[in-house]
Amino acid sequence: MKIDLNEAVRCLVENDNIVILPHDHPDGDTLGSAFALKRALDKIGKKVKIVCDDGIPEKYSYMIQDVKNDDFSDEKFVVAVDVADISLLGEKTREKYKNKINLAIDHHTSNRLECEKLLLDENAAACCETIYEIIKESGIEIDKKIADCLYTGLSTDSGCFRYSNTTSRTLRMASELVDLGASHFDINVIMFETKTRTYMKLENLVMKTMQMYYDDRCAIVNISQDMYEMSGSNETETDPIVAKTRQIEGVLVGAVLREKSDGSFKVSLRTNKDLDASAICGLLGGGGHPKAAGCQIDGPLENAREKLLDAIGKFLN
Ligand SMILES: [Mn+2]
C-alpha cells in the first residue's frame, strides 16, 4: 500500500526495535539513508539496527563513526531504504526478511519490493531526499553527522548534482544540509576525486575491453573475476567505471558486464538523451531509473553480451 510522508513518520515514531535494510553492494544513497535514519531515531531513544550482508566500504566510514548497532532479538518493525527489489538484498538478509518488510522508502520508478507500506518518490534524485523530509517532519534535530549522511546520498546519486535527476529541490536540500554542517567539500573529494590505486589498475584493465556497437551509439566493457585478482580491486570499486562508458561523445547507452563468482553477470547500464535505461533492463528482468539501471544475465560472457545487445537494439533501432 502506498503511503504519504506523514504516515511514514507516524510509523517510525510509533514503533520501536526497528531494523533498517540498505541494499547489498551498498552505495552512498542507501548507506546515507540508513545511517541518517538510524542516527535520527537514536536521538529519540529508539532501538535501531542496520542489517546488511556486505561490508561497508572504507570510504563511507565517516558515516558509521560513533554509531552502535543496538542488540535486540524481538524485532518489531523492518524498514528497507533505497531497495527496489528483494533481489537487491544480500542472500542472508533476503531469507530472513522477505515478506517481513513493514515499510519501504524508495525513489526507483521500477520499485516492486513486497512490503506492507511503501513511501515512493520517483521525483527524488536520492532516497536521502525523502529521508531528509521524514526527519524534518518528525521534528528531530538534524546534526552535522546526519547532514553528512544525507548530503552523501544526494551527491552520489546525482553524480555530484550533474545528472538529470537533479532538481531544484535536490539543490535546495544540499544547500540546507551545508548550512546544517555537512562537510560537502570533504565528502565530494572522497566520493568524486579520490581513486584508490587498485581502482586505477582495474579501470585500466577494464577500458581495454571496450567495444562499440550500433554505429558507436553503444559502448560496452566487461569486468572478469581475473581482473579483480590482477588489480587487487573488488566489486565494491566498480561503480565509477560504468559512468565512463556514457561519457563518450555520441554514446547513447553504456554498460558494464561484471562477472560474479558464480559465472553470471551483473549488468549496470547508463543512458543519455531519452533512452530509458530502466525499460531496457526491464526486458532482462531488471530495473532502476530512467538513466541508470541494472539487471542480471547468465554467463558465459558471450551469452550475456548478446542478450544485452538484443535488448538495447530494441530501443536503438
Ligand atoms: Mn538511490
Side-chain angles (χ1 to χ4, degrees):
M1 182 185 56
K2 283 206 181 180
I3 59 162
D4 64 10
L5 192 77
N6 291 324
E7 170 85 15
V9 172
R10 193 163 51 241
C11 287
L12 289 163
V13 171
E14 279 173 5
N15 280 285
D16 204 345
N17 293 18
I18 298 167
V19 180
I20 302 177
L21 307 178
H23 60 71
D24 222 27
H25 184 50
D27 62 12
D29 188 31
T30 201
L31 290 174
S33 297
F35 282 94
L37 191 58
K38 154 124 180 100
R39 284 173 182 276
L41 294 170
D42 278 354
K43 284 182 174 235
I44 53 168
K46 304 282 177 194
K47 282 194 195 148
V48 186
K49 65 178 164 192
I50 295 171
V51 176
C52 186
D53 281 18
D54 275 346
I56 293 167
E58 177 63 29
K59 65 176 174 178
Y60 302 114
S61 57
Y62 61 90
M63 286 202 236
I64 58 179
Q65 264 166 21
D66 325 310
V67 174
K68 228 180 96 222
N69 250 358
D70 290 308
D71 190 18
F72 53 87
S73 49
D74 53 335
E75 302 170 348
K76 299 264 171 60
F77 196 72
V78 181
V79 188
V81 287
D82 198 37
V83 181
D85 189 283
I86 192 78
S87 67
L88 299 170
L89 295 174
E91 205 183 325
K92 277 201 330 228
T93 309
R94 187 164 61 229
E95 284 311 307
K96 182 155 183 205
Y97 293 103
K98 74 173 171 216
N99 308 320
K100 290 194 185 130
I101 296 169
N102 302 100
L103 171 64
I105 305 167
D106 193 25
H107 67 127
H108 294 86
T109 345
S110 63
N111 184 294
R112 54 173 169 233
L113 185 67
E114 246 181 75
C115 55
E116 211 178 287
K117 291 172 177 170
L118 171 67
L119 177 61
L120 181 69
D121 184 353
E122 294 161 323
N123 297 315
C127 186
C128 274
E129 285 193 18
T130 308
I131 302 291
Y132 182 30
E133 288 178 324
I134 287 176
I135 300 175
K136 238 169 129 173
E137 187 61 34
S138 69
I140 301 167
E141 185 214 347
I142 297 180
D143 59 26
K144 182 213 167 349
K145 291 281 189 182
I146 295 177
D148 278 343
C149 293
L150 294 172
Y151 180 86
T152 303
L154 258 53
S155 62
T156 52
D157 261 27
S158 68
C160 210
F161 311 101
R162 289 175 304 143
Y163 299 160
S164 60
N165 59 3
T166 308
T167 63
S168 62
R169 180 176 73 173
T170 320
L171 295 165
R172 210 155 34 237
M173 284 182 175
S175 112
E176 286 171 17
L177 291 168
V178 171
D179 282 341
L180 290 165
S183 299
H184 61 296
F185 176 68
D186 292 341
I187 293 171
N188 289 345
V189 168
I190 297 171
M191 297 302 149
F192 305 104
E193 293 291 324
T194 314
K195 312 275 184 242
T196 62
R197 284 183 290 276
T198 51
Y199 169 79
M200 291 310 284
K201 279 188 201 160
L202 180 68
E203 191 192 283
N204 274 325
L205 293 169
V206 175
M207 286 306 145
K208 286 186 190 127
T209 70
M210 183 175 295
Q211 295 198 46
M212 308 293 287
Y213 303 91
Y214 298 115
D215 300 322
D216 295 342
R217 289 176 297 164
C218 168
I220 296 182
V221 296
N222 66 277
I223 306 176
S224 66
Q225 288 284 324
D226 284 355
M227 291 180 199
Y228 293 136
E229 213 162 292
M230 280 189 273
S231 60
S233 184
N234 60 54
E235 210 195 331
T236 66
E237 295 196 307
T238 57
D239 281 345
I241 292 177
V242 63
K244 300 220 150 242
T245 58
R246 182 174 57 178
Q247 288 168 355
I248 304 162
E249 192 180 16
V251 163
L252 293 177
V253 49
V256 173
L257 291 155
R258 288 197 299 244
E259 187 185 24
K260 311 269 289 177
S261 52
D262 66 4
S264 69
F265 284 82
K266 208 170 161 179
V267 180
S268 298
L269 198 101
R270 300 288 182 272
T271 54
N272 282 321
K273 304 246 170 86
D274 295 332
L275 209 57
D276 188 345
S278 180
I280 295 172
C281 289
L283 286 182
L284 297 160
H289 301 287
K291 296 216 158 28
C295 61
Q296 201 118 348
I297 314 181
D298 287 340
L301 178 62
E302 292 67 33
N303 173 64
R305 192 176 1 230
E306 205 175 295
K307 292 231 163 82
L308 178 61
L309 281 168
D310 264 3
I312 290 171
K314 295 208 165 68
F315 289 80
L316 274 186
N317 292 326

